[in-house]
C-alpha cells in the first residue's frame, strides 16, 4: 500500500490511506461506508436549500434500489444541512401550527361560549396572522437602515403561532362584552362593549406590551431586534388595531 505521507500520495493523491476510515469492515462484511463529495461554492440561502433538496432526491432514488438488497438506508450529511433542512418543510409546519392553534382556540371558545363567538374569534385570529406577516414584510421593505428582513424559519414560525394565542387578549374581551350586552341594536351593543372594555384593552394590553418590548429595540443581538422586537411590535400593533377598530365594525 502507498502511505498517505509518501511523496507520491502528496503529489498525486493516489494512495488509499486517506479513504481508510470510509469503510467499516467487521467479520469480512461491510457494516458501514460513506462516499465523499464536493459541492460548487454556495453563497446564497437559495443555493444551500436547493443543493440539500437535490442531494436528498438522489439519495431517495438510491434508497429505493438498495432496499431490495437489504442494505441500510443511506443519508446525505454536511455541516450546513443541519440548519437548512428546516427550510424544506417549514412552510407546511407553519400552516399546520397556525391551523392547530386556531382550532384549539375555536374549540375552547365554543365550549365556554357559543358558535358565533367562536367563529368570529377564528376569523379574527386568521386576520391577525396574515396581517402580522404582511406588516413584518412591509417593515423590512421600508427599513433602509437594516439590510436584513424577517424570513420564514423556526423562530418566526414560533412567534406567529404565539400570535394566535396572544390575539385572544385583544378579541375575546370585546366578543364576550358584546354577547353579554343588553342594549338594543348591534351598533349600540358594539358601542357599549367598547365603552366597557376598550380602555382596558388599549391601556392594559396594548400600551403595556409596547412599553415592555421597547427594551428589545436596544438589544445587542441582531436576532432579538429582528425576530422578537420587530415581530412582537407587529403583533401588538396589529392586535390592537384589529381589536379596537376592525372587530367593533364587524360586530356593528
Amino acid at each position: 500500500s502507498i502511505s498517505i505521507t509518501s511523496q507520491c500520495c502528496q503529489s498525486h493523491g493516489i494512495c488509499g490511506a486517506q479513504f481508510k476510515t470510509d469503510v467499516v469492515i467487521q467479520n469480512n462484511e461491510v457494516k458501514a461506508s460513506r462516499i465523499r463529495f464536493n459541492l460548487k461554492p454556495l453563497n446564497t440561502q437559495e443555493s444551500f436549500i436547493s443543493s440539500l433538496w437535490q442531494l436528498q432526491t438522489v439519495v431517495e432514488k438510491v434508497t429505493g434500489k438498495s432496499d431490495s438488497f437489504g442494505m441500510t438506508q443511506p443519508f446525505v450529511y454536511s455541516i450546513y444541512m443541519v440548519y437548512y433542512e428546516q427550510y424544506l418543510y417549514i412552510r407546511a409546519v407553519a400552516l399546520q401550527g397556525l391551523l392547530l392553534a386556531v382550532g384549539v382556540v375555536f374549540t375552547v371558545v365554543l365550549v365556554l361560549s357559543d358558535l358565533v363567538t367562536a367563529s368570529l374569534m377564528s376569523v379574527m385570529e386568521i386576520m391577525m396572522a396574515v396581517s402580522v406577516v404582511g406588516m413584518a414584510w412591509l417593515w423590512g421593505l421600508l427599513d433602509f437602515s437594516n439590510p436584513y428582513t424577517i424570513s420564514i424559519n423556526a423562530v418566526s414560525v414560533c412567534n406567529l403561532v404565539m400570535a394566535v394565542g396572544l390575539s385572544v387578549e385583544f378579541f375575546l374581551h370585546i366578543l364576550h362584552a358584546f354577547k353579554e350586552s343588553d342594549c338594543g341594536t348591534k351598533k349600540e351593543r358594539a358601542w357599549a362593549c367598547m365603552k366597557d372594555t376598550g380602555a382596558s384593552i388599549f391601556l392594559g394590553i396594548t400600551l403595556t406590551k409596547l412599553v415592555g418590548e421597547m427594551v428589545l429595540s436596544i438589544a445587542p443581538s441582531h436576532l432579538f431586534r429582528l425576530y422578537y422586537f420587530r415581530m412582537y411590535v407587529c403583533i401588538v400593533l396589529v392586535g390592537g388595531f384589529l381589536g379596537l377598530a376592525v372587530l367593533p365594525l364587524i360586530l356593528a
Side-chain angles (χ1 to χ4, degrees):
S1 61
I2 303 175
S3 173
I4 195 173
T5 58
S6 66
Q7 182 62 37
C8 181
C9 182
Q10 296 297 323
S11 301
H12 305 286
I14 61 174
C15 58
Q18 57 180 322
F19 305 106
K20 184 178 181 180
T21 59
D22 292 344
V23 181
V24 178
I25 300 177
Q26 295 179 356
N27 299 325
N28 295 326
E29 293 184 0
V30 177
K31 297 297 183 180
S33 63
R34 67 181 178 186
I35 301 176
R36 306 185 192 186
F37 60 89
N38 294 322
L39 297 174
K40 295 180 179 179
L42 306 175
N43 51 18
T44 63
Q45 178 171 292
E46 289 75 15
S47 62
F48 280 104
I49 299 173
S50 178
S51 66
L52 173 58
W53 179 82
Q54 293 181 26
L55 288 170
Q56 288 189 348
T57 302
V58 172
V59 169
E60 289 175 358
K61 293 180 179 180
V62 175
T63 302
K65 297 179 180 180
S66 63
D67 285 343
S68 59
F69 296 97
M71 297 174 61
T72 304
Q73 181 177 356
F75 61 92
V76 61
Y77 172 79
S78 184
I79 293 295
Y80 77 91
M81 296 178 183
V82 177
Y83 174 76
Y84 283 101
E85 186 178 11
Q86 62 175 309
Y87 292 101
L88 296 180
Y89 49 80
I90 192 64
R91 296 182 180 180
V93 171
L95 182 60
Q96 180 184 25
L98 288 173
L99 292 178
L100 285 175
V102 173
V104 169
V105 175
F106 174 83
T107 303
V108 173
V109 176
L110 179 62
V111 172
L112 298 178
S113 185
D114 54 32
L115 180 60
V116 176
T117 303
S119 300
L120 284 173
M121 188 70 193
S122 300
V123 171
M124 297 305 298
E125 287 176 337
I126 295 173
M127 292 175 62
M128 174 84 166
V130 174
S131 300
V132 168
V133 172
M135 185 175 180
W137 172 81
L138 184 61
W139 190 340
L141 189 66
L142 299 178
D143 188 3
F144 300 103
S145 62
N146 192 341
Y148 301 102
T149 58
I150 296 175
S151 61
I152 301 179
N153 54 35
V155 179
S156 60
V157 169
C158 287
N159 290 336
L160 200 57
V161 174
M162 289 175 58
V164 175
L166 293 174
S167 66
V168 174
E169 294 186 281
F170 296 100
F171 308 141
L172 190 57
H173 300 293
I174 298 176
L175 289 171
H176 178 72
F178 181 83
K179 177 188 175 184
E180 299 298 325
S181 176
D182 54 359
C183 297
T185 63
K186 291 183 178 181
K187 185 176 180 179
E188 293 173 344
R189 292 167 62 190
W191 177 254
C193 75
M194 287 302 298
K195 288 177 63 178
D196 294 336
T197 62
S200 299
I201 294 175
F202 180 72
L203 298 175
I205 298 177
T206 306
L207 288 185
T208 54
K209 281 183 169 57
L210 283 177
V211 172
E213 291 160 0
M214 289 301 109
V215 181
L216 296 174
S217 64
I218 58 175
S221 171
H222 179 75
L223 175 67
F224 276 83
R225 295 196 307 272
L226 187 63
Y227 284 96
Y228 291 98
F229 168 71
R230 183 177 294 188
M231 284 203 70
Y232 276 67
V233 167
C234 291
I235 291 172
V236 174
L237 292 179
V238 169
F241 174 75
L242 292 178
L244 297 174
V246 177
L247 182 58
L249 292 177
I250 296 176
L251 296 175

